[in-house]
Amino acid sequence: MTAILDSGSQQSLCSFQAANVLGLKKQDFCATIAGVSGSCFSVRKRVSTEISNGDSFKRKLNFLLVPEITGCVPTQPFDLTKMNLPQNITYADAEFNIPKRIDILLGGEIFYELLKNKQIKLHDNSIILQDSVFGYIVTGSIQNDQSSYYFCNFIQDQVDKNLTKFWDLEAIGIKEKFSSNPNDQAMQHFKSSVRFNSGRYEVGFPWKRDKQELNDNFSVAENRGKSLAKRFIRDPTLFKHYFEILKEYESQGVIERVFQTEKPTDRAVFYLPHQAVFCQESLTTKMRIVFDASSHEDGQLALNEYIWPGANLNPNIFHLLIYFRLNTIAITTDIERAFLQISLRDEDRDAVRFLFPELESNQTNPYKFQVYRFKRVMFGVNVSPFLLSAAIKYHIEKYREQYPAATEMRDTCLYVDDVISGAENISQALKLSKDADTIMKSASMTLRKWNSNNQTLMRTWKGEGLEIHPRHSEDSAQIPLSKVLGIHHGMSSMTISQLM
């Protein structure tokens, strides 16, 4: 293992690869590393371990886990014979002239504890040998006319930014917003309140303000409801689709009718405006109803401003896509109506009410509304992505020993409700998929639209009763383009066919 020292870093870092080689136990953690030019990097795991020089120095440290700390150091090899180095001292790294990958960064919390008093200065002070608990560390500048390549440890990842445009529609209401509270109130609330009832998880909203002070937003919801009613009258087909979706929700226990519409004294009440959003490319849901928890009356706060949003527990998109393409066999699937599989506790359900015109039974007054409320976590509230991810991570921990590979796949390859993973062979892929399906079914979640670049695996899935992707063709030469997090992939050749 090779380490560098950085007095300017507030935290010590360790690469995932080093942690895996050392067998260190990973802990869930939420932090943001900020670097040059305001660049940020989200951290989701950390490890605790002891560093030692094999003699008298020992120190236990926490390390944030990152995919990579920096490139190889030094950037170019150089000739030690020209440096006239002292031969009677012990160096922390006797081969410091050979480029090596950096596994560990020791930050400011430990930096000065590692240094001793003695220094040796060479070449007009351009090279300094600094004594440390590990031996002498070589630092300074070496002239190298062949290299114009320099490292800055944290730079803005523009690729990650550019990729986000591909799933903006899919991310309505779920955009990342980090909690300003360093203790992460949303996570604390989740851990103290999550329950498993009647085959599914039940959660509550992590309120950051007195919820009884929340304005009910009724006038905004009513005005937008009237506009929607006018549209229904002009377009009966739209009303039919809208009505069928809501009736299906009601029959499945996702929503329920509210007959006592008076505002309760001990609960928050908020009425959500809603509208239809169309996605003609979708094979399963051409129209979805999107609810607006960010709307508010003049001078009032929205529901989303009363709730802690929670941390973004999703993996880094860029890293996820790169990992996906490294596998011989691609595997993608998603959770059917993922948000709606998590129950919302009863005391928070009146905060997600909505109005719907009674056009089915009342044609004379299009502005008469029925009141409904959600019984499940719904798409559009700022904390919903956090609650979904937290519930899934909480659930899969029960199965980590029984299904280690499948739980690791769910933990590291799940982005909101999409699983993007892979395997080296069909046997491994089949076991991963069947174990993952078993794990999720135990939480009343169904994995669907299984897709792969391997036709044999697709046929096996179908025989095992898994719901394969509807675009799948039995002709391996006709495997169509598939979207993976908004990017079209040619699954048969695993090539990106469209990136704009």
Side-chain angles (χ1 to χ4, degrees):
M1 299 289 170
T2 303
I4 59 172
L5 277 62
D6 184 354
S7 63
S9 177
Q10 295 176 321
Q11 293 286 335
S12 296
L13 308 178
C14 177
S15 70
F16 274 98
Q17 181 175 347
N20 290 336
V21 170
L22 296 172
L24 301 179
K25 184 179 179 181
K26 302 179 183 68
Q27 307 163 2
D28 288 335
F29 189 73
C30 177
T32 301
I33 298 175
V36 175
S37 298
S39 61
C40 293
F41 182 85
S42 300
V43 173
R44 300 287 171 241
K45 299 285 184 181
R46 72 175 179 182
V47 295
S48 295
T49 190
E50 185 180 82
I51 64 170
S52 170
N53 64 357
D55 191 7
S56 59
F57 180 83
K58 293 181 181 179
R59 179 79 143 76
K60 189 168 184 179
L61 286 178
N62 292 324
F63 293 84
L64 304 185
L65 291 185
V66 295
E68 184 181 33
I69 294 174
T70 186
C72 292
V73 176
T75 57
Q76 299 283 340
F78 54 89
D79 188 357
L80 288 181
T81 61
K82 298 179 180 179
M83 296 182 63
N84 296 321
L85 295 173
Q87 300 299 312
N88 59 343
I89 61 175
T90 301
Y91 293 90
D93 180 5
E95 297 180 335
F96 63 86
N97 62 312
I98 300 174
K100 302 181 189 67
R101 180 171 55 195
I102 301 302
D103 304 293
I104 294 168
L105 182 148
L106 299 171
E109 62 180 328
I110 188 69
F111 182 89
Y112 291 102
E113 291 184 43
L114 302 177
L115 303 185
K116 294 183 177 181
N117 293 328
K118 191 170 181 180
Q119 286 185 349
I120 302 173
K121 297 181 179 180
L122 306 172
H123 300 278
D124 296 325
N125 297 333
S126 63
I127 300 294
I128 297 176
L129 309 184
Q130 172 67 56
D131 196 10
S132 77
V133 297
F134 301 114
Y136 278 85
I137 300 167
V138 182
T139 182
S141 176
I142 296 175
Q143 186 68 32
N144 188 347
D145 295 332
Q146 296 180 342
S147 176
S148 58
Y149 187 51
Y150 304 96
F151 274 123
C152 176
N153 286 347
F154 296 101
I155 61 174
Q156 189 70 30
D157 187 352
Q158 293 295 335
V159 176
D160 206 17
K161 275 191 169 182
N162 292 337
L163 285 175
T164 59
K165 68 181 67 175
F166 292 108
W167 41 86
D168 275 347
L169 178 62
E170 294 298 316
I172 293 174
I174 63 168
K175 290 188 179 296
E176 173 181 347
K177 288 185 178 179
F178 288 105
S179 167
S180 60
N181 191 304
N183 296 320
D184 192 0
Q185 298 285 347
M187 181 60 80
Q188 290 184 20
H189 182 272
F190 171 83
K191 289 180 177 179
S192 65
S193 62
V194 63
R195 301 288 184 271
F196 191 72
N197 292 327
S198 303
R200 68 179 74 248
Y201 286 93
E202 181 182 275
V203 298
F205 289 150
W207 298 93
K208 64 179 178 180
R209 292 182 170 90
D210 184 352
K211 58 186 178 182
Q212 294 187 42
E213 295 179 359
L214 177 65
N215 179 270
D216 65 13
N217 202 45
F218 183 86
S219 63
V220 174
E222 183 182 41
N223 289 335
R224 287 170 62 173
K226 289 178 179 180
S227 298
L228 187 61
K230 291 178 182 178
R231 189 177 175 190
F232 285 159
I233 294 171
R234 295 193 305 267
D235 187 353
T237 301
L238 175 62
F239 172 76
K240 179 176 180 292
H241 291 329
Y242 225 101
F243 184 75
E244 288 174 350
I245 291 173
L246 294 180
K247 282 303 172 187
E248 183 181 5
Y249 280 180
E250 189 173 19
S251 68
Q252 294 177 350
V254 174
I255 62 174
E256 63 185 356
R257 181 85 181 269
V258 178
F259 295 98
Q260 301 295 327
T261 60
E262 297 81 8
K263 183 175 182 179
T265 58
D266 59 342
R267 300 184 177 200
V269 175
F270 193 87
Y271 287 87
L272 299 161
H274 50 91
Q275 64 180 354
V277 172
F278 297 90
C279 184
Q280 297 302 326
E281 292 184 1
S282 174
L283 297 177
T284 54
T285 310
K286 301 291 185 185
M287 188 195 92
R288 66 174 56 169
I289 302 173
V290 176
F291 293 83
D292 185 4
S294 294
S295 67
H296 59 87
E297 296 179 359
D298 290 342
Q300 301 293 333
L301 297 178
L303 174 64
N304 280 345
E305 295 176 279
Y306 268 76
I307 298 174
W308 290 104
N312 180 359
L313 301 182
N314 294 303
N316 179 283
I317 294 171
F318 180 69
H319 300 153
L320 185 58
L321 287 171
I322 292 298
Y323 169 75
F324 168 69
R325 293 181 56 75
L326 292 177
N327 292 286
T328 303
I329 296 178
I331 300 173
T332 65
T333 182
D334 70 30
I335 304 171
E336 183 176 10
R337 293 180 172 176
F339 292 95
L340 301 181
Q341 308 313 316
I342 309 292
S343 290
L344 183 64
R345 66 182 181 183
D346 183 73
E347 54 263 41
D348 288 335
R349 292 176 183 176
D350 285 304
V352 282
R353 289 184 181 184
F354 64 95
L355 304 174
F356 189 72
E358 288 188 4
L359 294 183
E360 181 75 9
S361 58
N362 178 19
Q363 297 290 332
T364 59
N365 182 7
Y367 299 144
K368 185 176 181 181
F369 297 101
Q370 297 173 345
V371 178
Y372 291 87
R373 67 178 188 173
F374 273 87
K375 298 171 65 178
R376 308 276 178 83
V377 171
M378 42 85 62
F379 192 75
V381 176
N382 61 351
V383 75
S384 293
F386 166 79
L387 292 175
L388 174 63
S389 296
I392 291 174
K393 289 180 180 294
Y394 181 86
H395 174 67
I396 64 177
E397 283 302 317
K398 299 178 182 179
Y399 298 90
R400 192 167 291 279
E401 290 188 8
Q402 185 178 0
Y403 303 115
T407 53
E408 184 68 15
M409 180 182 77
R410 304 297 296 166
D411 194 24
T412 60
C413 300
L414 178 70
Y415 193 89
V416 188
D417 58 353
D418 291 311
V419 179
I420 301 95
S421 186
E424 290 304 309
N425 54 64
I426 292 178
S427 176
Q428 183 187 51
L430 184 60
K431 178 170 173 54
L432 271 175
S433 51
K434 290 176 67 176
D435 289 350
D437 186 61
T438 298
I439 292 170
M440 300 313 293
K441 278 182 176 176
S442 64
S444 298
M445 295 186 184
T446 301
L447 295 175
R448 62 173 184 174
K449 294 195 290 188
W450 288 91
N451 200 8
S452 177
N453 59 336
N454 187 286
Q455 287 286 71
T456 302
L457 179 61
M458 295 286 285
R459 287 191 292 269
T460 306
W461 278 340
K462 190 173 182 179
E464 293 285 342
L466 299 182
E467 181 186 334
I468 64 172
H469 198 286
R471 277 188 177 149
H472 170 62
S473 167
E474 292 297 330
D475 181 1
S476 62
Q478 298 298 321
I479 299 178
L481 293 178
S482 297
K483 271 191 173 183
V484 178
L485 293 182
I487 300 178
H488 282 105
H489 283 255
M491 293 296 284
S492 58
S493 60
M494 283 292 285
T495 58
I496 297 178
S497 61
Q498 181 179 346
L499 186 62
M500 62 181 182

